[in-house]
Amino acid sequence: MPYLSRILNSKVRDTADVVVGRIKDVLIKPAAGKYSPLQFLAIKAKKGGVIYLPFEAVDNFSHEEVSLKLLFNKTGAVAQFPDGLVCLKRDILDQQIVDLSGARVVRVNDLRIGDFQGATCVLGIDVSFKGLLRRLGVSSLDFLDFFKVNFIDWRQTQPVKGFLKLNVVSNDLSRLHPADLANIVENLNVKNAQKLVASLDAEAAAKVFEEMDAEMKKALVRQLPPDQMAEILDKMSMNDVVDFVKQLSEQERNVILSHLKMGTIEKIRELIEYSNDTAGGLMTTDFMKVEPAMNVNDVVAEIKRLSPALRSLLYVYVVSPKDGKYIGSVSLRRILIASPTQKIGKLIKRYAHQATLNPNDSIKEIIRLMTKYDLNMVAVVESTNVMVGVITIDDVMRYLAPKA
């Protein structure tokens, strides 16, 4: 089976043994989930210009010889580029592809062509270093056969001009962890990254966006439409939204904010004043508040209702119904084993000193408190004891290891 790299620039001879030109490209019509039969050969004619020869006129197609079944003037070759087709060299070779099995971005170094059910088709994509050596014409350097060929089945891809993506990309990619998806996005060029993010639903895109580095976030905000960007931000945790907005220029910030809900804008403007290394800068306002008089059965119903909108839910926070002042927290474990009719306020563990943080507390104080009391989450309360947010261990780790 020939490789595209060995076919390109090959001489094409008709039945009179006349060289009609050299192969410049190969044209296909891709269809999702199928091998793509070759449709036309783009041939650079001896007299100049490019002509498009129907592949049905080809008799032998190998790296050793490309010959026709009949005389060239009877092949039906045309000078106009055929509509709806994709060029393997121009549109696919050297493009980026998402390899789901390895959760990485790889480059198309070569294409494998062969017979399938009586038709000559594109069968696979070679993403190996060996394929690159073949492209460069120096495959003899691997005389010990040290490098191995690494193929991706063509049926698992959807080629479009300038981008090669996996079939049913949004469904398959959503199976990856958001951190792996973020790494993939960061390794794509901005145009392709934008296409990949746009292929995800808003909730999945939000999780990926939270895991991306700052530079890619800023690049994407210039590519995605403001309304789509706002839809993604609406699904993100508030502290991640605030961190992102802080990185934008004033003009970009105003454009994004103009597409958000008024309540969200007010929260952002309030939190953006805090430094990143304080409790106020690290906290999220996405947490679950309940009143002490609610029974366990009602709290469980509220958990079911609000859980999809919360990134993390380990505790419910009990606050005064009158002024929102913090009373205490109750773990999900205590709720699960409690009687359905028991009041949630009765489940609070009473300590002489409540382990809470003030919005202006430093990262050093946050770490000290969470370590001392072995906390995965901690409430943040203002000087009046009104609860304003929570900090999770994830927030602290993300601050300490932002590149992880």
Side-chain angles (χ1 to χ4, degrees), residues 26-28 36-41 55 61 88 113 120-122:
V26 178
L27 282 64
I28 63 167
S36 298
L38 308 192
Q39 302 288 332
F40 282 83
L41 299 181
F55 192 77
F61 189 72
L88 293 183
I113 298 171
T120 303
C121 306
V122 183

Side-chain angles (χ1 to χ4, degrees), residues 55-128:
F55 192 77
E56 60 191 24
V58 175
D59 181 38
N60 185 55
F61 189 72
S62 71
H63 69 274
E64 296 171 343
E65 179 186 37
V66 179
S67 58
L68 307 181
K69 298 176 181 176
L70 59 173
L71 294 173
F72 174 70
N73 60 8
K74 296 183 178 181
T75 60
V78 295
Q80 188 75 23
F81 186 90
D83 293 333
L85 301 186
V86 169
C87 294
L88 293 183
K89 178 185 176 183
R90 186 192 68 187
D91 301 323
I92 304 300
L93 215 56
D94 290 326
Q95 296 302 315
Q96 294 174 308
I97 182 171
V98 176
D99 174 16
L100 286 183
S101 61
R104 58 182 181 148
V105 175
V106 291
R107 189 170 295 277
V108 180
N109 290 329
D110 211 345
L111 294 161
R112 192 73 174 265
I113 298 171
D115 293 331
F116 180 74
Q117 296 181 347
T120 303
C121 306
V122 183
L123 301 180
I125 296 168
D126 189 351
V127 298
S128 65

Side-chain angles (χ1 to χ4, degrees), residues 9 26 60 134 137 207 219 228 296 323 346 366 398:
N9 207 39
V26 178
N60 185 55
R134 190 187 313 115
K207 292 177 181 177
Q228 187 178 10
V296 168
D323 49 21
K346 297 294 184 180
I366 296 168
R398 205 177 296 270

Side-chain angles (χ1 to χ4, degrees), residues 203 286-288 299-314 332:
E203 187 170 346
D286 302 324
F287 60 93
M288 185 169 173
V299 170
V300 170
E302 191 71 354
I303 289 173
K304 291 178 179 180
R305 186 178 71 85
L306 295 178
S307 181
L310 300 174
R311 186 181 66 176
S312 181
L313 182 54
L314 298 176
L332 293 190

Side-chain angles (χ1 to χ4, degrees), residues 105 181-188 193 196-197 208 212 216 220:
V105 175
L181 256 178
N183 288 340
I184 287 173
V185 172
E186 289 164 3
N187 283 289
L188 291 168
L196 193 152
V197 172
V208 173
M212 284 184 215
M216 179 54 79
L220 282 177

Side-chain angles (χ1 to χ4, degrees), residues 17 39 56 59 64 100 109 123 147 150 152 172 186 195 198 208 247 282-283 288 307 318 322 339-340 355 359 386 398:
D17 202 32
Q39 302 288 332
E56 60 191 24
D59 181 38
E64 296 171 343
L100 286 183
N109 290 329
L123 301 180
F147 300 107
N150 183 11
I152 294 175
D172 287 341
E186 289 164 3
K195 289 181 179 179
V208 173
Q247 298 162 7
L282 291 176
M283 73 180 182
M288 185 169 173
S307 181
V318 185
K322 294 181 179 180
S339 167
V386 172
R398 205 177 296 270

Side-chain angles (χ1 to χ4, degrees), residues 154-318:
W154 180 261
R155 291 173 296 185
Q156 299 303 312
T157 65
Q158 287 182 353
V160 294
K161 289 188 177 181
F163 186 44
L164 193 64
K165 63 182 182 179
L166 287 189
N167 188 27
V168 200
V169 65
S170 56
N171 291 337
D172 287 341
L173 286 177
S174 63
R175 297 172 190 167
L176 291 178
H177 190 282
D180 289 328
L181 256 178
N183 288 340
I184 287 173
V185 172
E186 289 164 3
N187 283 289
L188 291 168
N189 59 48
V190 175
K191 184 178 179 181
N192 287 347
Q194 181 266 326
K195 289 181 179 179
L196 193 152
V197 172
S199 73
L200 303 171
D201 61 54
E203 187 170 346
K207 292 177 181 177
V208 173
F209 212 79
E210 289 178 354
E211 300 289 344
M212 284 184 215
D213 64 37
E215 292 306 312
M216 179 54 79
K217 286 180 182 178
K218 287 190 286 187
L220 282 177
V221 79
R222 300 183 183 104
Q223 295 290 324
L224 292 167
D227 56 340
Q228 187 178 10
M229 192 68 246
E231 190 177 357
I232 292 173
L233 293 179
D234 188 54
K235 301 294 183 180
M236 290 169 58
S237 64
M238 183 55 63
N239 58 330
D240 284 307
V241 173
V242 172
D243 288 343
F244 169 64
V245 170
K246 283 181 179 179
Q247 298 162 7
L248 301 178
S249 67
E250 186 176 353
Q251 181 180 359
E252 291 170 333
R253 184 184 302 174
N254 290 336
V255 171
I256 292 296
L257 291 179
S258 68
H259 287 77
L260 295 174
K261 299 172 185 175
M262 185 54 65
T264 303
I265 295 173
E266 291 173 354
K267 287 183 181 179
I268 291 173
R269 294 198 184 282
E270 179 182 345
L271 296 176
I272 207 170
E273 300 300 321
Y274 292 109
S275 173
N276 289 339
D277 59 355
T278 65
L282 291 176
M283 73 180 182
T284 179
T285 57
D286 302 324
F287 60 93
M288 185 169 173
K289 296 184 290 187
V290 295
E291 297 177 5
M294 293 174 66
N295 63 37
V296 168
N297 210 31
D298 292 335
V299 170
V300 170
E302 191 71 354
I303 289 173
K304 291 178 179 180
R305 186 178 71 85
L306 295 178
S307 181
L310 300 174
R311 186 181 66 176
S312 181
L313 182 54
L314 298 176
Y315 297 88
V316 296
Y317 295 91
V318 185

